[in-house]
């Protein structure tokens, strides 16, 4: 399959270009498109045959459900049942934006979308291209991140091309995504809300609106019996080929310098994912930023750069888990081969 790239201005998307892409969705195809978090791979959420193409292109396990993207809050009532008021409070505060809400699914949502679960994950993205695409396609769009399963989520159209070229017909290039890590996922289908995936809508912000929010133990990498509430989290994705060693604690800096020398001596290619300006003599030092917003925006891109430079070991220093830090540490932790306290 020939993969075409369509450049669309994210600030002021041309309606004729959006319609060109929407036509593919309407006719049952898949399109990669930018959102404010990461690029998504979209298809008509109400058509099982179309959704199957997403799983095929990504090589995604069929028990890992997809997020349904909408452009109008009224759609929630069609896709979900028994919607609690707290869900509407969250929508009002954070939509459009990087928050996905899990609710009881209605009959209209095909099982393939929800990986067989009786719940559905819904999000209204803020990106204008994404909004336009959903509106013009005139159907809810099921979309996981537009990477091959097991690869870091794409934050540019180039990343999508690397993973999916030849497997899909169209990639919309709307420039780099703003946030850089995937949306926050909160489950409101049970009595107590539960955070299933931390992101740029923070736990603190959620608690301000809905009160108590539990944190799924897998966010901290713990083994758990309630894994089924967060099927996607059990897969070790976000992962570069190189082995990430995540170093936390007061002596992390010294530990990283020591590990750098040690692995270099063993003849390995060592990279440093740095959150401070740093002049260590590694094979590749990527400064991802000194604040959480910058770090999130550059994190997945840096993973891919380490792979391009054939790095064997990536040394990364942990950050505080406050606010967006929880989402960043979750992605680093999931990608990590080893965690060390120093
Ligand atoms: O920012 C994002 O959310 C991006 C953009 C494209 O919107 N999408 C994204 O999709 O990250 P994906 O498929 O890579 O991640 C979806 C996550 C997975 O962890 C999945 O298990 C979870 O949401 N999820 C989806 N439906 C669910 C459900 N019914 N119950 C629990 N978790 C669900
Ligand atoms: Mg994903």
């Amino acid at each position: 399959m020939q993969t075409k790239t369509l450049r669309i201005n994210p600030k002021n998307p041309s309606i004729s270009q959006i319609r060109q892409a929407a036509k593919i969705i309407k006719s049952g195809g898949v399109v990669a498109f930018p959102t404010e978090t990461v690029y998504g791979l979209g298809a008509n959420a109400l058509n099982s045959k179309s959704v199957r193409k997403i799983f095929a292109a990504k090589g995604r396990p069929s028990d890992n459900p997809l997020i349904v993207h909408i452009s109008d809050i009224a759609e929630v009532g069609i896709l979900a049942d028994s919607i609690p008021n707290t869900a509407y409070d969250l929508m009002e505060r954070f939509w459009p934006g990087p928050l996905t809400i899990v609710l009881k699914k209605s009959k209209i949502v095909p099982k393939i979308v929800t990986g067989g679960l009786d719940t559905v994950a819904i999000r209204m993205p803020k990106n204008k291209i994404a909004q336009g695409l959903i509106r013009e396609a005139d159907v809810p769009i099921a979309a996981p991140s537009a990477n091959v399963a097991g690869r870091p989520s794409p934050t540019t159209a180039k990343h999508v091309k690397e993973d999916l070229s030849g497997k899909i017909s169209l990639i919309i290039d709307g420039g780099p995504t703003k946030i850089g890590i995937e949306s926050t996922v909160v489950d409101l289908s049970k009595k107590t809300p539960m955070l299933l995936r931390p992101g740029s809508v923070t736990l603190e912000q959620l608690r301000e609106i809905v009160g108590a929010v539990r944190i799924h133990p897998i966010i901290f990498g713990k083994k758990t019996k309630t894994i089924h509430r967060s099927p996607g989290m059990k897969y070790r994705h976000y992962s570069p080929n190189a082995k990430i060693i995540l170093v936390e604690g007061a002596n992390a800096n010294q530990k990283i310098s020591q590990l750098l020398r040690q692995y270099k001596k063993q003849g390995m290619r060592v990279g440093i994912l740095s959150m401070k300006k740093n002049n260590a003599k590694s094979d590749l030092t990527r400064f991802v930023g000194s604040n959480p917003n910058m770090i999130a925006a550059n994190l997945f891109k840096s993973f891919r750069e380490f792979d391009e430079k054939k790095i064997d070991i990536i040394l990364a220093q942990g950050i505080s888990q406050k606010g967006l830090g929880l989402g960043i540490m979750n992605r680093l932790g999931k990608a990590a081969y080893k965690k060390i306290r120093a």
Side-chain angles (χ1 to χ4, degrees), residues 38 58 60 64 144-147 149 151-154 182 197 237-238:
V38 300
K58 275 189 65 110
R60 184 178 177 106
N64 193 0
S145 49
N147 51 290
R151 295 268 294 154
S153 289
E182 308 85 345
R197 182 173 72 183
H237 45 149
Y238 316 117

Side-chain angles (χ1 to χ4, degrees), residues 20-42:
Q20 201 182 319
K23 219 168 118 187
I24 297 179
I25 302 272
K26 278 185 168 185
S27 62
V30 299
V31 173
F33 64 97
T35 81
E36 68 277 23
T37 56
V38 300
Y39 273 73
L41 182 61

